[in-house]
Amino acid sequence: MNTKPLTALGLSESEIRLFSAVLDAGEIPPAALAKAAGVKRTTAYSIAGSLVEKGLLVEDATRRPRMFRAATPEAIRALAEAEKRNLAEREESYMAFANELSMLSAG
């Protein structure tokens, strides 16, 4: 897998290793994920939780043991669209702030 997009999204090396392990397995429990990623089980839980929060992994907590799988391409596209909207809103805020500063400095 090309990891450049994941690096560009700000993922750490350990997050990338763990995400790659999930992709290789399709669906994987934490103990096996930890082994595949070369980290402790508690660390795997922590990293996987971070990736779940970022929307890149899905956790099935209804199963025992819990299972992790990669988010669908549709979910990733939805994340990109949400990020685009957030960026547009921030741009508007910056522009409004800049205009307000211009009026203050002119007056």
Side-chain angles (χ1 to χ4, degrees):
M1 173 185 170
N2 178 7
T3 61
K4 285 183 182 180
L6 297 175
T7 302
L9 290 173
L11 270 61
S12 68
E13 284 186 34
S14 56
E15 287 174 319
I16 292 170
R17 268 197 328 270
L18 195 124
F19 186 77
S20 295
V22 171
L23 284 180
D24 289 343
E27 189 172 54
I28 189 168
L33 180 55
K35 186 174 182 178
V39 297
K40 294 181 180 179
R41 189 173 49 84
T42 54
T43 303
Y45 265 115
S46 176
I47 295 169
S50 171
L51 292 171
V52 168
E53 286 179 17
K54 293 176 181 177
L56 299 175
L57 287 186
V58 176
E59 178 181 11
D60 184 352
T62 64
R63 296 172 59 187
R64 293 288 175 239
R66 296 170 185 254
M67 298 295 280
F68 292 99
R69 67 180 181 280
T72 64
E74 294 78 20
I76 302 296
R77 286 185 191 98
L79 286 173
E81 288 299 320
E83 189 71 26
K84 190 187 303 186
R85 285 190 300 276
N86 289 340
L87 183 58
E89 289 171 8
R90 290 188 67 199
E91 180 183 20
E92 287 177 25
S93 295
Y94 276 118
M95 295 307 285
F97 182 58
N99 290 339
E100 187 174 324
L101 286 176
S102 291
M103 291 189 326
L104 289 173
S105 63

